[in-house]
Amino acid sequence: MYRIILFLVLIALAAAGAAWVADQGGDVVLSWGGWRVATSLPVFALALGIVIVAAVLAWTILRGLWRMPARIRRSRRERRQARGRHAITRGLLAIGHGDAAAARLHADVARRHAAHDPLALLLHAQSAQLDGDREGAQRAFRAMAEREDTRLLGLRGLFIEAQRADDPVAAVMIAEEALKLAPGSTWASHAVLGFRCAKADWNGALTILDNNLASGLIDKAAYKRQRGVLLTARALELENADRDLSRESAKEAVKLAPTLVPAAVLASKYESEAHQVRRAMRIVETAWLAQPHPDLADAYAHVKLGDSARQRLVRIETLAAKAPGHIESALAIARAAIDAAEFARAREALAPFTAAPTQRVAMLMAEIERTEHGDSGRARAWTLRAVRAMHDPVWTADGYVSDRWRPVSPVSGRLDAFQWQTPLAALPSDQGAAIESARLEEEMLAPPRRVEPPREPPAEVTVPSAAQDNLPALAPVADPIPASPVAGPAPAPAPPPPAEPAPVVAAPLFRARQDIPKTAPSSIPQVIPIVRAPDDPGIDDEAASDEFAEQIGPAQGQAGGWRGFLSRWGS
């Protein structure tokens, strides 16, 4: 709108100027050497305007001709860049859906038309990775690492290739170089932190953690927790080497992470050695309220050195009252009661958990039976139940089970990965047991019964030996047959009279399951499908083609002429 108004104003001004010049009178005389030109003022103004317009047109033409080679070169460069960008786009899409051949083809085109484009280098590196060419990928990433704009991306690629080649030293060196260039790099900081923890370099790990906080990679709460974990690891390592530094680390760790079980146990131990009993008890109680743990119960029981077993039992009952109904509370009370010879109190504490006991519950019950009554039979029965009982919680991280707490997962290198929980492999399955032993447990746990001693048979009677100890006993023989003096097979004993009732036989230990059908349900497939890992190429599911095999379907017709030639050439 403004341009139209301005254009109209300029036209009006030009018209007004032309009218003013036309209204002016007078003559214009030009004298140059022997030339003399005389004309009116309007004609002179018109001629001057024509000359000016012609000069401008001539200058424009000459300048266009002068700049034409540069424009041609720029146009060709732009077309090449457009082709390169198009090849980069198509190549990245081919990498996205896993077409290695197309990605390699587009990478070659992009390298010819846009060799200096960072995305062309990235496409070349990724196509080499997809094609399994590690050397080509490393060359591309090295070229990216030498450039200023793609240096960090090239280092990241070299780091990944070093990990694939199982070269941790090179990977850590690359991550440290990347961390110097960009302190806020997440992958570099995590890699260096994991390497420091793997080497037990806790001071270096604490430095990396401080840098992560300064760079904003982690928040304040995560920083406190991870710093507490690292300080606890350092305190445990220096427990026998440098007691002073270990004590200071444990105290700082329990301040940063009061619910961390190893930090609470170690700090409570140091406070107990310094005769700070109340402070040690408060540390354990704080961690116990968050997560009851057997190490906390043991530290709480021995917080005051020299106490008797009954005094430890009273103290454990005080701690268990802070988490009533928890299985760890019952186990702690039972352990302390057994040590104090209070077996009734131990049974009372374990009573709610004996119906479906865990391994520790069953083993404590076996110890009670063996220590209180000396009943080895019932103790063996509880031990047998402990073998098949559900596992108790243990320290687990990424499927790895450890007998002690560790600061870093040995599987993934993740910090603070170990959790006190039941391992997945120990959870009960939905499949029933193949052998039922409940009858055996009932018999072994039942009170002892008086058994009459068996009467000795006559000397001339031969009793056939049983083939298996759990077969029913044979019926008594009516008339004993004396042994034959002649060598040879002994005659078979006479069958018992049919009128006599069969003797009562105990139920066998191994019984056929009536709740399991003999045939599998029809809904269960006969073949179990195999689930592959994401990075597992697996095997070729397609059958190998046999060129000599007879084709079942009709062969597809082949087009002739130019169309067939072009189709075959394009394929």
Side-chain angles (χ1 to χ4, degrees):
M1 184 64 183
Y2 295 103
R3 294 181 179 180
I4 295 176
I5 296 176
L6 180 60
F7 181 72
L8 294 177
V9 169
L10 293 177
I11 291 178
L13 291 176
W20 180 79
V21 171
D23 292 341
Q24 299 297 323
D27 296 330
V28 177
V29 179
L30 295 177
S31 179
W32 183 22
W35 294 87
R36 182 181 175 85
V37 179
T39 182
S40 61
L41 182 61
V43 175
F44 177 76
L46 180 60
L48 182 61
I50 292 174
V51 171
I52 293 174
V53 170
V56 171
L57 290 176
W59 172 252
T60 303
I61 292 172
L62 292 176
R63 189 179 61 176
L65 292 176
W66 179 262
R67 295 183 177 180
M68 185 174 293
R71 290 183 178 180
I72 292 175
R73 289 193 299 268
R74 184 171 64 250
S75 177
R76 292 180 59 186
R77 184 169 61 252
E78 290 177 354
R79 287 197 300 268
R80 289 174 63 88
Q81 290 179 355
R83 292 175 182 175
R85 288 298 179 93
H86 181 70
I88 290 172
T89 303
R90 298 293 298 274
L92 293 177
L93 292 177
I95 289 176
H97 57 73
D99 191 351
R104 184 171 58 253
L105 178 62
H106 292 302
D108 295 338
V109 174
R111 185 168 49 184
R112 289 197 307 268
H113 295 289
H116 300 286
D117 196 327
L119 293 179
L121 295 175
L122 178 61
L123 175 60
H124 180 65
Q126 290 190 347
S127 62
Q129 286 181 332
L130 185 62
D131 214 13
D133 185 9
R134 291 187 174 180
E135 295 182 358
Q138 289 179 359
R139 287 195 300 268
F141 284 126
R142 287 195 192 98
M144 296 173 67
E146 293 175 357
R147 296 181 48 164
E148 188 68 26
D149 53 349
T150 59
R151 181 169 300 171
L152 193 61
L153 182 58
L155 292 176
R156 175 68 185 278
L158 291 176
F159 172 77
I160 294 176
E161 290 300 322
Q163 283 187 326
R164 290 183 176 181
D166 197 12
D167 191 357
V169 178
V172 171
M173 293 177 61
I174 295 171
E176 289 178 348
E177 184 179 354
L179 194 61
K180 293 178 182 178
L181 296 175
S185 179
T186 304
W187 65 270
S189 63
H190 287 174
V192 176
L193 180 62
F195 181 74
R196 294 284 185 270
C197 295
K199 290 201 313 179
D201 183 8
W202 309 119
N203 296 327
L206 289 171
T207 303
I208 298 298
L209 192 63
D210 294 338
N211 294 336
N212 292 345
L213 179 64
S215 303
L217 298 180
I218 56 176
D219 54 1
K220 192 68 174 179
Y223 169 77
K224 289 183 178 180
R225 176 72 181 187
Q226 294 183 7
R227 183 174 177 82
V229 171
L230 294 176
L231 289 172
T232 303
R234 186 173 69 177
L236 290 173
E237 183 180 0
L238 299 177
E239 184 177 1
N240 299 324
D242 191 347
R243 300 278 293 183
D244 296 335
L245 183 56
S246 176
R247 184 184 302 105
E248 294 176 2
S249 301
K251 290 182 179 180
E252 185 180 357
V254 81
K255 290 179 181 178
L256 295 173
T259 60
L260 187 60
V261 173
V265 171
L266 190 58
S268 172
K269 176 183 177 182
Y270 285 133
E271 295 293 348
S272 176
E273 292 177 354
H275 303 288
Q276 300 292 334
V277 178
R278 292 186 179 274
R279 188 179 301 175
M281 293 174 65
R282 285 197 300 269
I283 292 174
V284 176
E285 289 171 358
T286 302
W288 181 269
L289 290 175
Q291 182 181 22
H293 193 275
D295 292 345
L296 294 173
D298 184 70
Y300 199 82
H302 298 85
V303 71
K304 184 182 294 186
L305 303 178
D307 283 353
S308 62
R310 294 184 181 273
Q311 291 175 335
R312 292 198 298 268
L313 175 58
V314 173
R315 190 179 299 115
I316 286 296
E317 289 179 343
T318 304
L319 180 65
K322 299 181 181 298
H326 200 278
I327 187 172
E328 292 295 341
S329 300
L331 290 171
I333 293 176
R335 179 71 269 169
I338 292 174
D339 294 340
E342 297 286 346
F343 301 105
R345 184 70 182 93
R347 291 179 183 273
E348 180 183 357
L350 297 178
F353 305 98
T354 54
T358 62
Q359 291 183 348
R360 290 170 60 197
V361 172
M363 292 305 296
L364 286 177
M365 289 298 300
E367 185 177 355
I368 292 173
E369 296 293 345
R370 185 182 301 107
T371 307
E372 183 182 9
H373 302 296
D375 193 345
S376 59
R378 297 173 66 87
R380 284 196 301 270
W382 279 110
T383 305
L384 179 62
R385 296 186 66 178
V387 173
R388 299 183 316 277
M390 193 174 75
H391 288 244
D392 293 276
V394 290
W395 291 112
T396 60
D398 301 324
Y400 179 83
V401 178
S402 176
D403 57 345
R404 58 184 178 85
W405 176 83
R406 297 185 181 183
V408 183
S409 170
V411 179
S412 60
R414 185 162 50 95
L415 185 64
D416 192 22
F418 276 90
Q419 302 293 330
W420 182 255
Q421 58 186 4
T422 304
L424 297 178
L427 295 178
S429 62
D430 54 352
Q431 299 179 357
I435 301 176
E436 290 185 354
S437 56
R439 180 69 177 178
L440 176 61
E441 295 175 1
E442 293 176 1
E443 293 292 337
M444 297 181 71
L445 293 176
R449 295 175 296 182
R450 294 184 60 186
V451 181
E452 297 181 359
R455 289 176 295 181
E456 298 180 358
E460 64 275 12
V461 178
T462 59
V463 181
S465 60
Q468 189 176 353
D469 56 353
N470 61 347
L471 290 177
L474 297 175
V477 182
D479 297 328
I481 302 176
S484 176
V486 182
E500 295 183 0
V504 179
V505 181
L509 297 180
F510 303 93
R511 296 178 295 177
R513 294 289 299 270
Q514 300 297 331
D515 54 343
I516 299 180
K518 295 182 180 180
T519 58
S522 59
S523 60
I524 301 177
Q526 297 296 332
V527 180
I528 301 176
I530 299 177
V531 180
R532 300 173 182 167
D535 56 347
D536 183 14
I539 59 174
D540 191 4
D541 293 331
E542 298 179 359
S545 59
D546 188 2
E547 59 181 348
F548 299 101
E550 183 180 358
Q551 296 183 359
I552 303 302
Q556 185 177 2
Q558 183 177 1
W562 288 103
R563 294 183 179 179
F565 174 75
L566 292 177
S567 63
R568 292 192 296 274
W569 181 266
S571 61

